[in-house]
Amino acid sequence: MKLIFMGTPDFAVYGLEALHKSAHTILAVVTVPDKPQGRGKKILPSPVKEKAIELGYNVLQPESLNSDEFYHQVEELDPECIVVIAFKKIPERIFDLPAFGAINIHGSLLPKYRGAAPINHAIMNGETETGVTSFYINEEIDAGTILLQKSCAIGPQENFGDIYYKLAHLGADLIVETLDQLDGDGIVFKVQDQTIVSKAPKISPETCLIEWEKPAENIHNMIRGLAPRPCAYSYLNGKKVKFYSSEYEHDSSETKANPGEVVYVSKKEIKIATGDGFLVPTSVQIQGKKQMNIVDFLNGNTIEVGSLLTNRSE
C-alpha cells in the first residue's frame, strides 16, 4: 500500500521504522516545523523528521494543515492511505483524499481514554491493563471506527515512561498488521461504544499538583502516571519537590495526622500522611537539586517530623 506518514515525537518513530521495514511504500513523511527546544532554545527538528531523513524520505513540514498548498501536495502524491501517530488533528479534506482514508494509532483501548494523554490517565486511575488501537480518523477526536487493538498489562510499579515505550513498540506492530490486513482479506470494523467513553485531557501543571487529602494509593498512582515527566509535585518549606517513585501504606491507627504532614523520618525512609494512610517516597527531586533516591535525599536534607507539604510555594 502507498501511504503518507504523519507524526512528531519518538513514540511515532517506532511506527515509521516498522513501516520502513514492511512491504508498504512511504511516499512522504509529514511532521511539524522545526522549533526552538531546550534551555538554549536551539531550533531543532522533531524526532520523526530526524528519522525520516536518516531513512531517506521526503519530509513535508506545513505551517498549516488547512492550507491549499498542503492539500495539493497530498493530492499530488496520491496516497492510498494516510498513517497518523502522535500528530495534530487532520482536516477532513485531507483524510478524505486516500481510498483507504487516514488511520491513527492511539495509546489506549478505545473508547477508553480519548484525548492527548491516555497513558498518563490510565496509570493515574490505577488501571492494570491498557493497549493500542488502530482506527479510522473522522471529524471527532479519537472517535472513529476501530480496526484492530492490542493490549498489555500495567505492572504495579510501572510508570508513564515504562508504558510509553511498551505501547510505542506495540503500536508499531499494530499499524503494520492493520495495513497488511486491509491490503489483504480486510478487517471486521468495530463502532466505538459511546456508553463507555472516557477522556484523557492534556496534562497541565495543575494536574501534577498533589492533593494530600486523597487516598495514599491514588497519590502513588498519580506519581507513577506522571513519571519520569512532567512529575507530580508539592512544596516543602517553600521549595518545589518532584516525586518520581513511591510506595504507600494504609493507616490502621486511630490517631490521624494532617494530610501532607511528615509523620516519620529515618536515615532511609520518610512517611507523609494522606487522606487514608501514608505515602513513602523512594525517589524525589527538590528545587535546585538533581533527582536522587530517598536515602541520598535524606542524607543531604534535614526533614523534621511535623513538617508539612503543601500545594503552595509560600
Side-chain angles (χ1 to χ4, degrees), residues 206-244:
E206 292 73 27
T207 310
C208 303
L209 186 57
I210 295 173
E211 297 176 24
W212 294 102
E213 297 81 6
K214 290 186 175 181
E217 184 176 4
N218 291 30
I219 297 172
H220 168 71
N221 288 336
M222 175 187 181
I223 290 168
R224 292 194 301 128
L226 296 170
R229 60 184 187 276
C231 286
Y233 69 93
S234 189
Y235 292 96
L236 178 64
N237 299 326
K239 290 187 175 182
K240 187 175 185 178
V241 181
K242 292 182 178 180
F243 293 80
Y244 286 84

Side-chain angles (χ1 to χ4, degrees), residues 47-121:
V48 161
K49 180 181 178 179
E50 288 188 312
K51 180 56 66 174
I53 291 173
E54 178 188 322
L55 297 175
Y57 292 117
N58 177 38
V59 177
L60 304 178
Q61 296 177 275
E63 290 292 339
S64 171
L65 300 181
N66 291 301
S67 69
D68 290 338
E69 179 185 5
F70 179 62
Y71 175 83
H72 293 308
Q73 285 176 321
V74 174
E75 186 179 42
E76 187 174 342
L77 287 166
D78 192 25
E80 295 174 275
C81 183
I82 294 173
V83 170
V84 181
I85 304 179
F87 196 54
K88 302 176 181 180
K89 183 178 180 181
I90 311 301
E92 184 174 355
R93 68 172 183 164
I94 296 294
F95 66 67
D96 277 347
L97 277 172
F100 285 92
I103 297 171
N104 195 3
I105 295 293
H106 185 70
S108 80
L109 298 173
L110 290 173
K112 296 183 73 173
Y113 299 110
R114 291 181 183 175
I119 304 172
N120 304 96
H121 285 280

Side-chain angles (χ1 to χ4, degrees), residues 194-207:
Q194 298 299 314
T195 65
I196 57 172
V197 169
S198 60
K199 301 292 186 179
K202 185 178 179 180
I203 300 297
S204 68
E206 292 73 27
T207 310

